Amino acid sequence: MKNKLLEISHIRSCLIRMEETIIFALIERAQFKLNDIIYKVGAFGSEIDQNDSLVGYLLHETETIHARMRRYTSTQEKSFFTDLPKPMLPPLHEDHSTIKPNSINVNDEIRHIYEKETVPQLCEPGDDGQYGSSSVCDVTCLQAISTRVHFAQLVAESKYLENKEKCDLYIKAGDDESIMNLITNKKVEAAVIDRVHKKATAYGQDPGSETETSKINARIVTDLYSQWIIPLTKKVEVLYLLQRLK
Amino acid sequence: MKNKLLEISHIRSCLIRMEETIIFALIERAQFKLNDIIYKVGAFGSEIDQNDSLVGYLLHETETIHARMRRYTSTQEKSFFTDLPKPMLPPLHEDHSTIKPNSINVNDEIRHIYEKETVPQLCEPGDDGQYGSSSVCDVTCLQAISTRVHFAQLVAESKYLENKEKCDLYIKAGDDESIMNLITNKKVEAAVIDRVHKKATAYGQDPGSETETSKINARIVTDLYSQWIIPLTKKVEVLYLLQRLK
């Protein structure tokens, strides 16, 4: 019997629910200005930011706590940092056979894109002094996007089980182009983009207000999905399948 | 000239924007089951939860990082824990004359109410194993509610400046009942409740879905506001004013 976690209806409902998490997090970040200083290493001249920016510091500290709480024992969760402590909670009796363990991690790309492409479009330029609040929102956004993108491992495993023979053939040949074609569904991609646009528009509006101003530009969310989240998801799927038989 | 931070239009827009932060955070928590175990001290038998629950551990660790990032140097931000490290970032050149420094802190009440009243209504009963994710959402909810409630210090200071003579009279007499009457505006309270109901309804709906199911019961948000957030806000206002002249 197929693992419930790999059923396409389950995967789809998880992915759809993650859209809210990402959009809410982006709306929260958008209330603060760009605050460029929080992305610069050493900008505060303190112990905190001597090796990474303020956002990097907070991300690292957050992952340290989450690692102790066993976040990264879940095979589908990937950390941005590698120097994390061991879990301090006893292991979960989790079924680890859902996906194949692997070393895929596109978080460096996610962080780069988020900081260089998304935030400068999402936020008003300038500095409002809200460095802590902005950094907290950034960490939430980064983790939400990372979880969404690396969920692709489950998507890929599910697609593999549906097309085992064809997949095995392509994987053995190292034919990443055919794998990419196999996992690509333009209709589903268009539906995702259409849906996140609707959501960003709806959640950006303030139903208690007389004005039409939105808390977020819906186009930024659709751009993030079409230019980065969907392509990175497919990249993870291909990477996962290419090492699937090892 | 009156401090801009104390202008009623500024205060109002801050309070309205915080509604989104609270409602988004509650919607995020509502996707997971109650997971009662995360509120029990020692439930995991680990170093982590020997002195507090898993949520308490995460809240404490989060405040430790935020304290280093100077969150609690802002007079209006109040921490749930007292054993926090000194800020590691250089101090902000902030105007500390906006409100009078004070020791008001109703976070114990907020945590009690949130864990005992709000979460059991907000979440489906049961256990889905999502302990880390649920705890992360709880910390976000607790901090958002705390910020909203302790913002009352600014509200009170603003009202004080508008009614200086009357306030001074009541404060000197220690007349908390008259102070409570002075700061109470039933019309505004009703408008807040009406607005958060509209928002919770709008943000709870999934515009991409064919079904009418909501991610949150809007009544829980209005209950939280009418039974707890508004009364606690007024309590902080009265406490603030009673010590205003000291």
Side-chain angles (χ1 to χ4, degrees), chain A residues 16-17 20-21 24 27-28 31 44 46-49 54 57-58 61-62 65-66 68-70 88-90 92 129 131-132 135-136 195 198-199 202-208 215, chain B residues 16-17 20-21 24 27-28 31 44 46-49 54 57-58 61-62 65-66 68-70 88-90 92 129 131-132 135-136 195 198-199 202-208 215:
Chain A
I16 290 177
R17 183 57 188 79
E20 263 74 19
T21 303
F24 288 167
I27 291 176
E28 286 296 283
Q31 71 188 304
F44 295 92
S46 85
E47 271 178 75
I48 278 186
D49 67 329
L54 191 64
Y57 167 79
L58 183 62
E61 292 295 301
T62 305
I65 309 169
H66 290 185
R68 284 198 206 109
M69 289 169 67
R70 72 179 170 206
M88 283 169 78
L89 289 186
L92 262 179
Y131 306 144
S135 303
V136 169
R195 195 172 53 237
K198 278 196 189 118
K199 287 184 178 180
Y203 303 147
Q205 268 160 12
D206 182 346
K215 294 182 288 291
Chain B
I16 290 177
R17 183 58 189 77
E20 263 74 20
T21 303
F24 288 166
I27 291 175
E28 286 296 283
Q31 70 187 306
F44 295 93
S46 86
E47 272 177 75
I48 278 187
D49 66 328
L54 190 65
Y57 168 78
L58 183 63
E61 293 295 302
T62 305
I65 308 168
H66 290 185
R68 283 197 208 110
M69 290 170 66
R70 71 181 171 204
M88 283 168 76
L89 287 186
L92 261 178
Y131 306 145
S135 303
V136 169
R195 193 172 54 238
K198 278 196 189 116
K199 287 185 179 180
Y203 303 147
Q205 266 160 14
D206 183 346
K215 293 184 287 292

Side-chain angles (χ1 to χ4, degrees), chain A residues 4 8 12 16 41 51 54-57 65 70 77 118-119 151 159 176 181 193 195 199 209-210 214 236 240:
Chain A
K4 194 219 157 216
I8 200 70
R12 180 173 282 188
I16 290 177
V41 181
N51 297 315
L54 191 64
V55 169
Y57 167 79
I65 309 169
R70 72 179 170 206
E77 284 284 346
T118 307
V119 179
F151 205 79
K159 288 179 181 169
D176 48 0
N181 288 334
I193 303 208
R195 195 172 53 237
K199 287 184 178 180
S209 161
E210 295 95 43
S214 178
V236 170
Y240 178 84

Side-chain angles (χ1 to χ4, degrees), chain B:
Chain B
M1 207 188 80
K2 198 170 161 182
N3 187 325
K4 194 218 155 217
L5 294 174
L6 294 173
E7 278 170 21
I8 200 68
S9 62
H10 171 77
I11 289 176
R12 181 173 282 185
S13 73
C14 290
L15 292 174
I16 290 177
R17 183 58 189 77
M18 285 178 206
E19 291 160 6
E20 263 74 20
T21 303
I22 292 173
I23 294 168
F24 288 166
L26 292 171
I27 291 175
E28 286 296 283
R29 178 62 182 92
Q31 70 187 306
F32 305 112
K33 292 198 174 167
L34 178 57
N35 296 322
D36 209 22
I37 192 172
I38 65 176
Y39 305 104
K40 289 187 176 137
V41 181
F44 295 93
S46 86
E47 272 177 75
I48 278 187
D49 66 328
Q50 59 186 349
N51 297 315
D52 202 331
S53 63
L54 190 65
V55 170
Y57 168 78
L58 183 63
L59 183 59
H60 185 240
E61 293 295 302
T62 305
E63 290 203 326
T64 299
I65 308 168
H66 290 185
R68 283 197 208 110
M69 290 170 66
R70 71 181 171 204
R71 178 176 187 143
Y72 307 106
T73 59
S74 164
T75 40
Q76 77 217 43
E77 283 285 344
K78 306 283 184 171
S79 62
F80 286 81
F81 292 89
T82 51
D83 59 336
L84 299 176
K86 288 204 163 52
M88 283 168 76
L89 287 186
L92 261 178
H93 299 290
E94 202 187 331
D95 180 9
H96 277 290
S97 62
T98 312
I99 55 170
K100 299 278 171 196
N102 61 73
S103 57
I104 297 161
N105 188 324
V106 297
N107 278 335
D108 283 350
E109 269 178 273
I110 290 174
R111 189 170 164 197
H112 181 84
I113 290 158
Y114 176 75
E115 293 188 6
K116 302 289 174 195
E117 306 284 337
T118 307
V119 179
Q121 289 184 63
L122 181 69
C123 302
E124 263 183 60
D127 188 309
D128 57 19
Q130 300 289 327
Y131 306 145
S133 304
S134 304
S135 303
V136 169
C137 293
D138 282 336
V139 169
T140 307
C141 289
L142 284 166
Q143 289 187 316
I145 296 169
S146 174
T147 299
R148 167 65 177 78
V149 167
H150 290 106
F151 205 78
Q153 298 166 93
L154 286 162
V155 178
E157 180 66 23
S158 175
K159 287 180 181 169
Y160 174 82
L161 296 175
E162 296 294 327
N163 286 285
K164 208 168 172 321
E165 277 172 40
K166 227 183 219 175
C167 277
D168 280 348
L169 209 74
Y170 297 153
I171 295 167
K172 275 176 198 153
D175 184 354
D176 49 0
E177 214 179 301
S178 295
I179 297 176
M180 183 59 96
N181 287 334
L182 189 80
I183 60 155
T184 298
N185 187 332
K186 289 277 173 207
K187 221 173 121 186
V188 169
E189 287 178 24
V192 170
I193 302 201
D194 180 53
R195 193 172 54 238
V196 296
H197 188 271
K198 278 196 189 116
K199 287 185 179 180
T201 307
Y203 303 147
Q205 266 160 14
D206 183 346
S209 158
E210 295 94 45
T211 65
E212 288 282 308
T213 34
S214 179
K215 293 184 287 292
I216 196 167
N217 179 344
R219 192 190 47 74
I220 292 162
V221 182
T222 52
D223 281 358
L224 175 66
Y225 261 84
S226 62
Q227 292 172 23
W228 308 113
I229 292 181
I230 292 175
L232 279 173
T233 301
K234 289 161 72 177
K235 180 178 174 174
V236 170
E237 287 183 53
V238 172
L239 287 173
Y240 178 85
L241 290 172
L242 281 174
Q243 55 81 62
R244 173 67 182 70
L245 302 181
K246 275 176 201 158

Side-chain angles (χ1 to χ4, degrees), chain A residues 17-123:
Chain A
R17 183 57 188 79
M18 284 177 207
E19 291 160 6
E20 263 74 19
T21 303
I22 291 173
I23 293 169
F24 288 167
L26 292 171
I27 291 176
E28 286 296 283
R29 178 61 182 93
Q31 71 188 304
F32 306 112
K33 290 199 173 164
L34 178 57
N35 296 322
D36 209 22
I37 193 172
I38 65 176
Y39 306 104
K40 290 190 175 133
V41 181
F44 295 92
S46 85
E47 271 178 75
I48 278 186
D49 67 329
Q50 60 186 349
N51 297 315
D52 203 331
S53 63
L54 191 64
V55 169
Y57 167 79
L58 183 62
L59 184 59
H60 184 241
E61 292 295 301
T62 305
E63 289 203 328
T64 300
I65 309 169
H66 290 185
R68 284 198 206 109
M69 289 169 67
R70 72 179 170 206
R71 177 176 186 142
Y72 306 106
T73 59
S74 165
T75 40
Q76 75 216 44
E77 284 284 346
K78 307 282 183 172
S79 61
F80 286 80
F81 293 89
T82 50
D83 59 335
L84 299 177
K86 288 203 163 53
M88 283 169 78
L89 289 186
L92 262 179
H93 299 290
E94 201 188 333
D95 181 8
H96 277 289
S97 61
T98 311
I99 55 169
K100 300 278 172 196
N102 61 73
S103 57
I104 297 160
N105 189 323
V106 296
N107 278 335
D108 283 348
E109 268 178 273
I110 289 174
R111 190 171 163 196
H112 182 84
I113 291 158
Y114 175 76
E115 293 188 5
K116 302 288 175 195
E117 306 285 337
T118 307
V119 179
Q121 288 184 64
L122 181 68
C123 302

